[in-house]
């Protein structure tokens, strides 16, 4: 298949936005896959801030990235990002929903996600990208999807370009990507 799947597409967006020496944010570090990808992309001259509310997620991500000292793990909600990150960032990524193989009752929430998007956008360099991988395949994910899409659809087009990428012929409410590029 020549079209990229959702996760490879999100990594392609990281590749467009992040470079060695940059500061980046993994707003939902989960099992550490994006944290590792970001750490390798910005190299040891850059810095990754990795957020998650669950101790298990932080531990999983730390284990996966143990060879990288340029990551700060923060066990707190991503809506508090501006309490920890003060420098300009080139990229941020969210994987919304619940921790894979974790407690499915603990999910990201529309209100905190929208607050985090706003805070991250304020930190974003011009040309920087915020990536949202949205999983609407569960009840809470449907609610979050609707709220986030409403928020993004009302975003000032003079401030950002916003895209939505996903497969529309897949069953069971497939995941999709939204990306915000700061003008």
């Amino acid at each position: 298949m020549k079209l990229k799947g959702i996760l490879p597409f999100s990594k392609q967006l990281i590749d467009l936005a992040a470079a060695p020496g940059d500061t980046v944010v993994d707003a939902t570090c989960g099992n550490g896959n994006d944290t590792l990808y970001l750490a390798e992309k910005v190299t040891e001259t850059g810095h990754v801030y990795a957020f998650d509310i669950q101790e298990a997620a932080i531990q999983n991500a730390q284990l996966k990235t143990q060879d990288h000292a340029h990551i700060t793990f923060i066990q707190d909600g991503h809506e508090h990002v501006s309490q920890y990150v003060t420098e300009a960032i080139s990229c941020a990524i969210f994987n919304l929903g619940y921790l894979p193989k974790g407690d499915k009752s603990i999910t990201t929430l529309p209100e905190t996600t929208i607050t985090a998007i706003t805070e991250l956008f304020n930190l974003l360099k011009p040309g920087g990208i915020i990536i949202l991988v949205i999983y609407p395949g569960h009840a809470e994910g449907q609610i979050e999807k609707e709220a986030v899409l409403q928020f993004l659809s009302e975003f000032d087009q003079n401030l950002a370009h916003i895209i939505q990428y996903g497969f529309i012929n897949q069953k069971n409410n497939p995941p999709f990507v939204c990306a915000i590029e700061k003008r």
Side-chain angles (χ1 to χ4, degrees):
M1 181 167 89
K2 293 185 181 189
L3 294 175
K4 293 215 182 274
I6 297 306
L7 296 179
F9 182 71
S10 69
K11 290 194 176 21
Q12 182 179 352
L13 293 172
I14 290 171
D15 291 343
L16 292 172
D22 284 353
T23 299
V24 295
V25 173
D26 186 347
T28 53
C29 72
N31 289 313
N33 296 315
D34 289 332
T35 309
L36 177 61
Y37 195 81
L38 289 166
E40 291 173 345
K41 187 70 183 174
V42 301
T43 72
E44 65 282 345
T45 62
H47 197 82
V48 179
Y49 290 91
F51 288 81
D52 211 292
I53 60 169
Q54 296 183 70
E55 183 179 355
I58 297 289
Q59 290 172 350
N60 293 344
Q62 286 175 324
L63 185 61
K64 184 165 280 201
T65 61
Q66 62 189 344
D67 294 334
H68 298 279
H70 58 291
I71 303 169
T72 300
F73 289 95
I74 301 160
Q75 188 178 344
D76 198 356
H78 49 225
E79 71 273 21
H80 301 127
V81 66
S82 64
Q83 293 177 19
Y84 302 93
V85 183
T86 57
E87 62 262 51
I89 63 169
S90 62
C91 184
I93 188 164
F94 294 75
N95 273 277
L96 301 177
Y98 53 80
L99 177 64
K101 300 178 184 171
D103 183 347
K104 293 183 172 136
S105 69
I106 302 172
T107 66
T108 53
L109 303 170
E111 303 80 21
T112 59
T113 296
I114 289 169
T115 298
I117 293 168
T118 302
E119 289 196 9
L120 287 163
F121 188 79
N122 291 334
L123 294 168
L124 201 61
K125 296 176 184 178
I129 299 175
I130 298 171
I131 304 153
L132 300 136
V133 183
I134 300 173
Y135 293 88
H138 55 100
E140 294 81 8
Q142 278 289 332
I143 294 166
E144 188 169 37
K145 173 194 93 166
E146 295 301 325
V148 169
L149 287 178
Q150 181 68 37
F151 173 74
L152 295 178
S153 70
E154 296 171 357
F155 212 93
D156 185 343
Q157 68 181 6
N158 295 309
L159 299 177
H161 301 287
I162 301 177
I163 65 159
Q164 181 176 341
Y165 176 89
F167 296 98
I168 61 174
N169 66 334
Q170 291 181 353
K171 296 179 182 175
N172 302 321
N173 299 308
F176 61 94
V177 171
C178 287
I180 306 162
E181 180 185 14
K182 190 170 193 175
R183 294 181 85 153

